[in-house]
């Protein structure tokens, strides 16, 4: 299985998408794409836009064009999206809620779990939720595949 936090969580989903066998996946506070993190989140305030291009709109357009290539929807779906658990933070200033919702929407049989915390506070104080997500994603591999929109009796 694969797991990661923040950018590591995003990369773990890419690994699962490109791996031919089913993997347990627990991506924690991870976006669907790097674009909203750098264009909309807190990190957007720390980019030297003028160094990228004197025209700020052009700088944003060019960076967006590059970052959009990391969008999860551009990758193949893994064999078992039902073995993926996304752990998201409701008050995350780095990875906004919509970027987290889009991860689950991209892999409809996956599960999203929300923490009432922010990005940093999740890492510092909610690690047990990450560990539970990892353990639960491995347990899902032992179950028959659950199709998107399916239900358990």
């Amino acid at each position: 299985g694969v797991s990661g936090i923040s950018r590591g969580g995003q990369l773990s989903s890419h690994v699962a998408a490109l791996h031919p066998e089913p993997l347990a996946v627990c991506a924690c506070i991870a976006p669907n794409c790097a674009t909203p993190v750098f264009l909309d989140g807190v990190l957007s305030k720390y980019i030297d836009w003028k160094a990228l291009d004197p025209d700020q709109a052009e700088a944003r357009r060019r960076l967006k064009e590059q970052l959009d290539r990391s969008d999860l929807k551009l990758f193949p779906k893994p064999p078992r999206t039902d073995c993926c658990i996304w752990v998201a933070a409701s008050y995350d200033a780095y990875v906004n809620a919509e970027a987290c919702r889009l991860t689950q929407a991209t892999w409809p049989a996956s599960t999203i779990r929300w923490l009432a915390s922010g990005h940093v506070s999740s890492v510092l104080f909610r690690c047990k939720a990450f560990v539970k997500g990892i353990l639960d994603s491995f347990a899902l591999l032992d179950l028959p595949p659950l199709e998107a929109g399916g239900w358990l009796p």
Side-chain angles (χ1 to χ4, degrees):
V2 290
S3 183
I5 297 172
S6 196
R7 176 72 171 137
Q10 183 190 18
L11 292 175
S12 70
S13 62
H14 291 176
V15 168
L18 297 172
H19 196 276
E21 299 296 322
L23 292 175
V25 181
C26 183
C28 306
I29 52 177
N32 67 307
C33 178
T35 305
V37 175
F38 291 97
L39 294 184
D40 304 327
V42 169
L43 294 180
S44 67
K45 295 177 174 85
Y46 300 99
I47 295 174
D48 185 356
W49 295 105
K50 286 188 176 27
L52 295 175
D53 194 294
D55 177 357
Q56 186 165 345
E58 179 62 14
R60 291 180 69 83
R61 187 200 65 74
R62 289 177 53 205
L63 183 58
K64 180 181 182 330
E65 183 179 292
Q66 296 301 314
L67 295 175
D68 280 352
R69 295 175 182 170
S70 69
D71 197 322
L72 189 59
K73 70 182 174 202
L74 299 176
F75 289 76
K77 284 186 177 51
R80 295 276 310 267
T81 60
D82 62 310
C83 296
C84 176
I85 296 174
W86 310 100
V87 181
S90 299
Y91 307 108
D92 196 327
Y94 293 89
V95 180
N96 66 46
E98 184 60 19
C100 294
R101 281 188 203 89
L102 287 171
T103 57
Q104 197 274 329
T106 302
W107 294 355
S110 64
T111 302
I112 190 165
R113 297 177 180 176
W114 291 95
L115 303 176
S117 54
H119 198 83
V120 176
S121 62
S122 294
V123 173
L124 294 175
F125 306 115
R126 302 301 299 271
C127 288
K128 287 182 181 177
F130 298 165
V131 171
K132 180 162 176 33
I134 293 167
L135 295 174
D136 290 350
S137 67
F138 273 98
L140 290 169
L141 277 176
D142 291 333
L143 299 175
L146 176 66
E147 299 298 322
W151 59 275
L152 295 175

